[in-house]
């Protein structure tokens, strides 16, 4: 187990005159297996960043326990084996990207020749070209995010914890970062990242947890979550004569023409495809494809968040 939490809870004091406890995270149970890309999803204020800060011991829990790489959060040995990118990285404005990575390399105890080569390779990898010689105060938010990714990988970590890693990136930058995360996963690293950009999670994650108001409202593999509700079926058929269309037409079935003489038959959620496929064969038509219309991650996310909206804190 790379990451494990049991009933992890965090309360903050909210208010000025009469501060009261505000529960940012409520009894989180989490387990991340070696080699996974695990997504921590939820709207703003759901408890994602609080969870990551607890795992890194940047803040301390009100109750519950956690382990990172088999050690308590904050353990020096575990920290050497992980990399972290905060949601809003802040670096020394007057250092260049090269100088910043060399500085962090010294903190890790990497020898001078190796850290210079590693810094140069990582800046190439995240797409920082000649700008590496400029002071960081001249960088855009997206460029700072790329430098942050480079520093998170500087120590060749087993575990990467990334808080909103696509934040501030344009579409090309997001594509590049997705490819980089996929490549790091291919090398056997474990990656935990938080995001509210669902398309990125859907493209990358093997498992996700959905948080709302500090509580888990959905968890499991993407396949299991997305197969919860089949909204219907789409059949593509060729050589469907007018007689065959009349025979197949019925309640819950919509037939529409496509290009190249093909036809689309759409079935609602209450209809099964097997009887229609049998009718297609009986009429001498050919089935090209049969695809279930399942929910997207966005559908699951919105439904689970809406279901948690009236829950007491």
């Amino acid at each position: 187990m790379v990451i494990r939490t049991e009933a992890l809870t965090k309360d903050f004091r909210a208010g000025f005159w009469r501060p009261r406890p505000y529960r940012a995270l409520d009894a989180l149970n989490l387990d991340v297996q070696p080699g996974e890309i695990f997504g921590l999803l939820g709207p703003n204020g759901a408890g994602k960043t609080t969870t990551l800060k607890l795992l890194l011991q940047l803040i301390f829990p009100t109750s519950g326990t956690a382990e990172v790489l088999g050690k308590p959060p904050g353990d020096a040995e575990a920290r050497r084996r992980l990399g972290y990118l905060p949601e809003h990285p802040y670096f020394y404005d007057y250092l260049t990207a090269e100088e910043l990575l060399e500085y962090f390399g010294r903190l890790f105890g990497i020898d001078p020749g190796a850290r210079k080569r590693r810094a140069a390779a990582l800046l190439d990898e995240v797409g920082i070209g000649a700008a590496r010689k400029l002071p960081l105060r001249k960088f855009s938010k997206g460029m700072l995010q790329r430098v942050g990714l480079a520093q998170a990988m500087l120590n060749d970590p087993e575990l990467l914890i990334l808080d909103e890693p696509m934040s501030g990136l344009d579409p090309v930058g997001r594509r590049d970062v997705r490819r980089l995360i996929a490549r790091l996963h291919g090398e056997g690293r474990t990656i935990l990242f938080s995001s509210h950009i669902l398309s990125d999670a859907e493209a990358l994650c093997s498992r996700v947890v959905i948080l709302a108001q500090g509580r888990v409202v959905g968890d499991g593999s993407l396949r299991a979550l997305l197969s919860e509700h089949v909204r219907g079926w789409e059949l593509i058929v060729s050589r469907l004569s007018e007689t065959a269309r009349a025979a197949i037409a019925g309640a819950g079935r919509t037939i529409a023409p496509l290009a190249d003489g093909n036809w689309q038959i759409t079935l609602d959620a209450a209809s099964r495809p097997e009887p229609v496929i049998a009718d297609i064969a009986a009429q001498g038509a050919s089935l090209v494809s049969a695809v279930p219309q399942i929910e997207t991650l966005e559908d699951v996310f919105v439904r689970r968040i809406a279901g948690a909206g009236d829950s007491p804190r």
Side-chain angles (χ1 to χ4, degrees), residues 209-213 215-219 225 301 304-305 307-308 311:
V209 157
I210 302 174
L211 292 177
Q213 299 185 354
R215 294 195 181 113
V216 174
V217 295
D219 70 282
L225 286 172
F301 181 88
R304 295 296 184 95
I305 296 299
S311 301

Side-chain angles (χ1 to χ4, degrees), residues 75-120:
D75 180 85
E77 179 188 340
R79 284 189 172 184
R80 285 186 173 275
R81 297 161 57 197
L82 66 84
Y84 171 56
L85 171 68
E87 181 178 3
H88 302 292
Y90 181 82
F91 303 124
Y92 301 104
D93 283 352
Y94 291 91
L95 291 179
T96 68
E98 286 181 330
E99 290 168 342
L100 181 82
L101 291 193
E102 289 220 23
Y103 168 70
F104 280 112
R106 287 198 297 274
L107 293 179
F108 275 113
I110 303 172
D111 70 78
R115 70 173 175 251
K116 190 174 185 66
R117 290 191 300 272
R118 179 130 182 93

Side-chain angles (χ1 to χ4, degrees), residues 22-46:
Y22 169 80
R23 181 146 291 182
L25 193 65
D26 191 1
L28 175 67
N29 294 317
L30 186 69
D31 64 272
V32 179
Q33 303 294 331
E36 281 192 312
I37 301 181
F38 194 99
L40 198 59
L41 311 181
N44 293 331

Side-chain angles (χ1 to χ4, degrees), residues 6-26:
E6 289 186 6
L8 194 64
T9 300
K10 178 62 180 177
D11 293 334
F12 293 100
R13 303 291 289 178
F16 181 72
W17 294 108
R18 294 181 179 177
R20 291 181 293 180
Y22 169 80
R23 181 146 291 182
L25 193 65
D26 191 1

Side-chain angles (χ1 to χ4, degrees), residues 141-275:
K141 187 177 188 302
M143 291 174 70
L144 287 173
Q145 197 76 1
R146 290 169 183 261
V147 174
L149 280 166
Q151 69 80 26
M153 297 186 294
L154 187 64
N155 59 320
D156 196 22
E158 299 172 36
L159 167 65
L160 273 167
I161 297 178
L162 309 176
D163 195 357
E164 300 283 358
M166 282 70 162
S167 176
L169 297 176
D170 59 23
V172 173
R174 283 176 53 203
R175 180 201 63 193
D176 291 344
V177 171
R178 282 200 302 267
R179 287 177 176 173
L180 176 58
I181 289 175
R183 186 185 65 73
L184 293 169
H185 173 248
E187 294 174 356
R189 302 176 204 271
T190 305
I191 300 167
L192 169 65
F193 77 88
S194 73
S195 183
H196 61 269
I197 302 174
L198 301 183
S199 59
D200 294 330
E202 197 163 7
L204 289 168
C205 294
S206 50
R207 286 200 302 142
V208 299
V209 157
I210 302 174
L211 292 177
Q213 299 185 354
R215 294 195 181 113
V216 174
V217 295
D219 70 282
S221 70
L222 277 182
R223 176 173 293 183
L225 286 172
L226 298 182
S227 64
E228 287 180 347
H229 292 271
V230 176
R231 297 181 297 182
W233 288 78
E234 179 186 271
L235 311 181
I236 306 299
V237 180
S238 65
R239 301 199 303 273
L240 192 65
S241 66
E242 186 175 346
T243 303
R245 294 198 299 274
I248 291 170
R253 303 174 183 180
T254 303
I255 303 176
L258 298 174
D260 300 324
N262 291 333
W263 292 81
Q264 179 188 62
I265 303 174
T266 305
L267 311 181
D268 63 21
S271 302
R272 293 297 304 163
E274 292 85 357

Side-chain angles (χ1 to χ4, degrees), residues 39 131 303:
R303 179 164 49 78

Side-chain angles (χ1 to χ4, degrees), residues 127-134 139:
I128 300 294
R132 67 187 65 192
K133 301 290 187 183
L134 297 176
F139 278 30

